[in-house]
Structure formats: structure tokens, C-alpha cells
């Protein structure tokens, strides 16, 4: 059994290797590789995957607040893989970007311009391209960026130190541009229902270890993280038929809503919109911990936020979730965010 302490040690080794340009750190013995590859081939026959193009949700949300002239619209950027893009649903309003943009608009009472540059199938080594594309947008630098990445790093064998290095550099570049950054860390691939043992155990171990290392890299470069854990809590294991889409891999509309609700308080806190104080509540199992310990704990529990405190410490929070406002209906005449 992998303990929190051992996961913290390995996560720190990966993050250190990433910071100093090291290569991959093997987390599995060579003897398991043949069995693992056999299980992967069997799983691919069952887990369909999807080649559908995700719906484009770019545009302005919160049209009811368009009369505001005292403050400019908020700008929200999205980067990452198919989950960030919203693959698996058919309406723009069902994507995580649209859900979060609608929620921010309602809470801030300001229009929110969404720009999503996520690419289905992307690994973390695509983040430099995505960051450049987002920062070159003619609409200006986003106030806040959400990054959701990591699953393809595990399934397509990007060395974990390289994965964390690319993420760390992306967070650093966005923070240097004065953009708040929230990273949704690698989901727990062990929750994908058609995946059987021992691949399920291996997938869970690798994805949680990467999530912990991602947390260290993101937090130490000025970002905040939210653990997507068992893809955002026990809901996905308890109700996979509702929360996974038809391909048994990407979330359904209800699954994306669960993800957005888990991340929403952290987005609001980063923008100063959330009423909760930035200090731990021991009764809610929160605390200020060494960053690698906070990262390891967060990787095991979906919806957990980690943000920097005084180095080398981090604040671990379980923010209270609130129901997101109903998403805006898709509006073809909504002005797109161009770039």
C-alpha cells in the first residue's frame, strides 16, 4: 500500500528532477511492463475514447452585466487536454470552461470572456505552445487561467519529471504575465470502470503520484491546485454511469458540472471573490504543511486545494462547495473572443 509519506517523498524527487532538468523517474519495476502493456491493449478495446471535436465555448458570459463601465470584463483562459476542452459533451454550455465562466460572471457581477486553447490528446509538453497562443491573444492577458492536464502523460508515457517541468514552466510564465493560475491535477485513472486489475491499481498509483508532483511544481511557481482525485471525489466511483460519458472515459455533462463545482471556490478565492478566510480550519482537516505532504494528501482526496504559504509550507484547504448558477444557454450571437 502506498502511504502518504512515501508518495510525498517520490513527488518531491520528481519535482526536484523537473527543476534541475532530470529525466523520468521509473515508478514501476521492469517485470510489470509486459503485463501492463497486455492490460492496456485489453482496456483500449473496452474504453472507447472519442474522436468528436469538443464544442467551442469561447465567448462572453454574463451578458446581463454588460452595462458595467466601472470595471472591465474578467478574462478566463483554459489550457490542457480533452477534459479542459470539454470532450464528451455536445453543448458549449456543458463544458467546464463555460460552467466556470458563467459562475464567475454571476458571482462577480461582471462579464467574463472565455478563451480555451486546450487540445484533446495533449500531454504537458504541449503547454508551451498553448501558453504562447493564449498570451498572444489580442484581447489581452487573462486575469485567471485554469490548466487541466496529466491523464495523457500517464497513458502516453511522458516521463513524470518532464511532465512536471513543462507544467512548472507554464505556471511560471503565466504568473509572470500577472495571471492567477489554477491547476486541476491529474485525475485518478483508476476510476475508469472498464479498466481491470492490475492495470487499475497501476493507473491509480501513477496518476496520484503525478498529481502530487504536479502540485509541488505548480505551488512552488505561484499557482494553486485542486486535486481532481477520483475525478473530483467519490462521485465518479459511486455513480460512473451518470458521471462518465458514452465513451466510458470522458466525463458526462453531470461529471463536468461536478468538476466545475469542485474547482469554482478556488477560482473565486484567487480573484478575491470568496468569503472564506485564507487560513486553515482544523475541524475540516485543513492545515499548513510542508508542500510535499500537502501535495500527497491532496492527491488522495478530490476537490482539495493547495496553495503556497510561507516557503516551504503550503496551505491545504477543503473549501465549501456551492451550487453553480445555471449555465447560460448557448447563444450563437455571443461575441467570440478572437485572437
Amino acid at each position: 500500500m502506498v502511504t502518504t509519506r512515501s508518495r510525498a517523498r517520490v513527488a518531491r524527487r520528481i519535482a526536484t528532477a523537473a527543476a534541475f532538468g532530470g529525466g523520468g523517474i521509473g515508478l514501476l519495476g521492469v517485470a510489470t511492463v509486459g503485463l501492463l502493456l497486455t492490460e492496456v491493449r485489453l482496456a483500449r478495446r473496452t474504453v472507447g475514447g472519442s474522436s468528436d471535436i469538443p464544442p467551442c465555448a469561447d465567448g462572453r458570459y454574463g451578458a446581463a452585466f454588460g452595462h458595467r463601465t466601472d470595471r472591465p470584463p474578467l478574462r478566463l483562459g483554459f489550457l490542457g487536454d480533452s477534459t479542459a476542452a470539454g470532450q464528451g459533451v455536445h453543448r458549449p454550455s456543458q463544458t467546464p470552461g463555460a460552467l466556470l465562466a458563467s459562475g464567475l460572471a454571476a458571482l462577480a457581477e461582471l462579464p467574463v470572456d472565455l478563451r480555451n486553447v486546450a487540445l484533446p490528446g495533449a500531454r504537458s509538453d504541449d503547454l508551451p505552445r498553448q501558453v504562447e497562443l493564449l498570451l498572444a491573444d489580442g484581447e489581452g492577458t487573462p486575469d485567471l487561467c485554469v490548466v487541466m492536464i496529466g491523464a495523457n502523460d500517464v497513458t502516453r508515457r511522458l516521463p513524470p519529471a518532464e511532465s512536471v517541468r513543462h507544467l512548472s514552466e507554464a505556471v511560471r510564465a503565466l504568473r509572470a504575465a500577472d495571471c492567477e493560475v489554477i491547476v486541476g491535477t491529474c485525475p485518478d485513472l483508476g476510476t475508469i470502470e472498464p479498466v481491470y486489475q492490475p492495470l487499475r491499481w497501476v493507473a491509480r498509483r501513477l496518476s496520484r503520484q503525478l498529481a502530487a508532483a504536479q502540485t509541488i511544481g505548480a505551488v512552488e511557481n505561484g499557482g494553486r491546485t485542486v486535486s481532481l482525485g477520483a475525478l473530483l471525489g467519490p462521485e465518479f466511483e459511486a455513480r460512473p454511469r451518470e458521471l462518465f460519458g458514452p465513451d466510458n472515459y470522458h466525463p458526462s455533462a453531470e461529471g463536468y458540472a461536478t468538476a466545475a463545482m469542485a474547482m469554482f471556490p478556488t477560482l473565486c478565492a484567487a480573484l478575491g471573490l470568496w468569503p472564506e478566510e485564507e487560513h486553515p480550519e482544523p475541524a475540516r482537516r485543513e492545515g499548513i504543511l510542508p508542500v510535499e505532504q500537502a501535495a500527497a494528501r491532496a492527491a488522495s482526496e478530490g476537490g482539495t486545494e493547495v496553495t503556497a504559504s510561507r516557503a516551504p509550507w503550503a496551505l491545504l484547504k477543503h473549501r465549501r462547495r456551492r451550487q453553480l448558477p445555471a449555465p447560460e444557454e448557448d447563444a450563437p450571437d455571443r461575441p467570440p473572443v478572437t485572437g
Side-chain angles (χ1 to χ4, degrees):
M1 181 175 180
V2 180
T3 66
T4 299
R5 182 169 295 180
S6 64
R7 183 176 292 122
R9 285 198 300 267
V10 176
R12 170 53 71 190
R13 285 168 49 211
I14 293 171
T16 300
F20 289 96
I25 295 179
L27 301 182
L28 295 175
V30 175
T32 67
V33 172
L35 179 58
L36 177 58
L37 292 178
T38 299
E39 292 289 339
V40 167
R41 285 193 290 269
L42 291 172
R44 283 175 177 168
R45 296 176 188 174
T46 310
V47 180
S50 173
S51 59
D52 293 344
I53 297 175
C56 179
D58 284 11
R60 177 161 292 182
Y61 294 77
F65 307 110
H67 63 280
R68 293 276 304 262
T69 58
D70 55 318
R71 289 182 59 189
L74 292 172
R75 295 183 298 275
L76 173 63
F78 248 74
L79 309 87
D81 55 23
S82 56
T83 305
Q87 192 161 17
V89 295
H90 301 291
R91 297 177 63 86
S93 61
Q94 296 171 327
T95 64
L99 291 165
L100 290 170
S102 293
L104 286 175
L107 189 63
E109 298 186 346
L110 283 171
V112 175
D113 289 335
L114 172 65
R115 173 76 161 125
N116 195 326
V117 297
L119 179 67
R123 304 186 308 181
S124 293
D125 52 5
D126 190 55
L127 286 176
R129 182 193 65 83
Q130 295 186 28
V131 169
E132 182 179 1
L133 185 61
L134 194 62
L135 295 182
D137 194 317
E139 297 296 318
T141 303
D143 299 290
L144 175 69
C145 280
V146 174
V147 185
M148 300 172 73
I149 198 97
N152 296 314
D153 296 23
V154 174
T155 60
R156 294 172 54 197
R157 303 174 65 183
L158 184 68
E162 185 178 345
S163 172
V164 174
R165 177 171 59 82
H166 285 298
L167 176 63
S168 299
E169 290 173 352
V171 173
R172 190 180 311 126
L174 292 168
R175 293 293 294 129
D178 202 26
C179 174
E180 297 291 338
V181 183
I182 312 297
V183 176
T185 55
C186 181
D188 184 347
L189 299 178
T191 62
I192 299 174
E193 191 180 52
V195 176
Y196 303 110
Q197 299 292 9
L199 180 58
R200 180 183 288 254
W201 178 87
V202 172
R204 169 160 289 163
R205 180 180 178 185
L206 293 180
S207 51
R208 288 188 177 185
Q209 197 66 70
L210 178 59
Q214 286 178 317
T215 298
I216 296 173
V219 168
E220 292 188 339
N221 283 282
R224 299 178 186 232
T225 64
V226 177
S227 168
L228 301 190
L231 235 183
L232 314 157
E235 296 97 334
F236 274 75
E237 287 186 303
R239 296 185 291 141
R241 295 291 184 229
E242 297 172 51
L243 299 179
F244 282 115
D247 63 3
N248 293 320
Y249 186 83
H250 294 100
S252 64
E254 187 176 350
Y256 278 126
T258 301
M261 190 166 62
M263 299 187 74
F264 184 63
T266 301
L267 270 68
C268 294
L271 294 174
L273 302 173
W274 206 244
E276 290 183 23
E277 296 292 331
E278 295 291 290
H279 61 72
E281 298 182 44
R284 293 176 56 80
R285 296 174 292 106
E286 299 176 349
I288 296 177
L289 305 168
V291 65
E292 59 268 20
Q293 292 184 24
R297 281 183 53 182
S300 301
E301 185 172 353
T304 305
E305 176 189 326
V306 180
T307 188
S309 184
R310 183 176 300 178
W313 305 89
L315 172 63
L316 183 142
K317 291 281 290 181
H318 300 107
R319 294 192 184 273
R320 294 172 177 83
R321 300 185 193 181
R322 297 183 183 179
Q323 191 68 36
L324 284 171
E328 297 182 9
E329 289 300 315
D330 304 316
D333 59 344
R334 187 171 62 220
V337 180
T338 58

